[in-house]
Amino acid sequence: MDILYSTGFECEKKLPTTLEDLFNQSDVTYHYEGEERQLNVTYVRYFDQYMQEQGIYDAEKTGVPFYHIAALLILMNHKGYVQGNRLYYNDTDQFLQAFNQEDIPKALDIYQSLT
């Protein structure tokens, strides 16, 4: 698996009646078995605050918002293969089980090598 690009962003409202501003999106582009693939992960923005409160990840200490590495972490946990290209998480426990917390330093290294 060759990582080409890892990034993310805070979603913004497009219409006043939508809830888009409550979510973050994380994207990773990679090669898998000679094919270029992309994984998009959308999750509730509150999870960033929750992980900081639980001591799992602190974006202020690393200087990297979690949405830049979330999809990369999930991809790493699945050994480079995720069926489908879009994942959505609205449950804290499911989100935390989607990646291995011990992989965070490695994901940060990969992300920083790409920027």
Side-chain angles (χ1 to χ4, degrees), residues 26-105:
S26 181
D27 305 315
V28 63
T29 304
Y30 60 101
H31 280 131
Y32 180 77
E33 295 183 350
E35 179 183 341
E36 187 172 308
R37 301 186 63 159
Q38 184 168 9
L39 174 63
N40 303 318
V41 176
T42 303
Y43 65 94
V44 179
R45 187 172 299 162
Y46 165 74
F47 296 168
D48 288 346
Q49 177 184 341
Y50 179 82
M51 287 189 299
Q52 184 172 359
E53 290 170 356
Q54 299 300 312
I56 298 169
Y57 186 81
D58 188 345
E60 291 178 14
K61 287 182 183 177
T62 63
V64 177
F66 191 74
Y67 52 74
H68 283 305
I69 63 168
L72 177 58
L73 281 165
I74 292 168
L75 184 66
M76 290 168 65
N77 193 42
H78 287 88
K79 310 290 188 257
Y81 179 75
V82 177
Q83 189 156 3
N85 62 355
R86 293 190 178 273
L87 300 175
Y88 173 78
Y89 293 96
N90 63 356
D91 180 82
T92 310
D93 292 331
Q94 286 179 349
F95 182 68
L96 293 176
Q97 291 174 10
F99 61 91
N100 186 346
Q101 296 175 22
E102 289 80 32
D103 287 339
I104 291 174

